[in-house]
Amino acid sequence: MGDHKDLKDVSAAEKIKDLAEDIKTCMLCTYKNGKLQSRPMSFQEIDENGNIFFLSDKNSNKNAEIMENSKVEIIFAQPHDKFLFLHGNATVSYDRERIKELWNPIIKVWMTGGEDDPNLSIIKVVPEDGYYWNNKHGKMVALAKMTVAFVTGKTMDDGIEGNLEL
């Protein structure tokens, strides 16, 4: 078995930032009629408190679902290497100055009106808690240990996992 290390407050926020910035893309999950609705998203920023910011179309299903139920789940995964699962609450805002701060030209692929598009909104997710798992020594060492484990039949878990509480 790997190591277990629960993290709280600043340490939890740092782990969220570290893993999420490395993985980059997540599944943002909202709720509709009690069922999980998931879609891939790239975030624009993670602040020092672990809060995650996305840009979104104000007319999107995800925005409507957040307005009905602010509970969200976020899942980051980099196979065989890093995993992060977060429970949190989301809010939607329309702060034009903040939208300009978060803007990245690649977003124009989805929001063709650019940073001044009146349909742009911000989704801010404030994580409450979560769970993480990652390799202690990186992907190459993990793959080598997996190969040795396969050949020898012995467990060579190089992971570290724990609960996150903010």
Side-chain angles (χ1 to χ4, degrees):
M1 292 288 287
D3 294 340
H4 188 93
K5 184 176 182 183
D6 292 337
L7 302 173
K8 291 180 108 172
D9 304 321
V10 173
S11 296
E14 288 171 354
K15 179 59 83 172
I16 290 168
K17 190 170 176 65
D18 178 53
L19 289 173
E21 286 181 345
D22 202 31
I23 299 170
K24 301 198 183 345
T25 301
C26 65
M27 294 297 287
L28 174 63
C29 308
T30 56
Y31 290 89
K32 181 178 180 180
N33 300 324
K35 292 184 179 181
L36 206 57
Q37 308 296 310
S38 304
R39 76 278 295 153
M41 295 282 291
S42 292
F43 61 88
Q44 275 58 59
E45 179 180 288
I46 299 178
D47 70 15
E48 67 280 351
N49 298 313
N51 299 319
I52 304 170
F53 298 84
F54 301 91
L55 289 179
S56 176
D57 186 319
K58 73 177 184 179
N59 299 310
S60 69
N61 289 339
K62 63 187 157 296
N63 282 40
E65 291 156 7
I66 289 168
M67 300 301 275
E68 289 289 319
N69 180 352
S70 67
K71 293 286 185 196
V72 296
E73 319 297 333
I74 300 179
I75 304 164
F76 288 90
Q78 190 173 66
H80 307 294
D81 197 29
K82 297 177 176 106
F83 301 88
L84 175 63
F85 178 79
L86 302 170
H87 302 279
N89 286 291
T91 55
V92 176
S93 69
Y94 305 97
D95 180 339
R96 300 309 304 169
E97 189 172 308
R98 185 70 171 123
I99 287 170
K100 288 182 186 275
E101 290 172 8
L102 294 171
W103 179 258
N104 181 314
I106 193 69
I107 299 166
K108 196 165 182 174
V109 171
W110 297 277
M111 300 299 295
T112 57
E115 67 185 78
D116 295 319
D117 190 324
N119 289 322
L120 266 173
S121 68
I122 301 167
I123 296 174
K124 176 184 179 182
V125 176
V126 178
E128 293 177 346
D129 57 34
Y131 174 82
Y132 74 96
W133 183 95
N134 63 282
N135 289 312
K136 287 187 255 181
H137 301 103
K139 198 171 196 170
M140 295 308 293
V141 171
L143 289 172
K145 285 188 172 194
M146 287 170 56
T147 303
V148 170
F150 179 76
V151 172
T152 64
K154 295 180 182 178
T155 300
M156 307 283 287
D157 190 351
D158 190 43
I160 183 166
E161 64 181 315
N163 296 307
L164 300 166
E165 186 179 328
L166 293 142

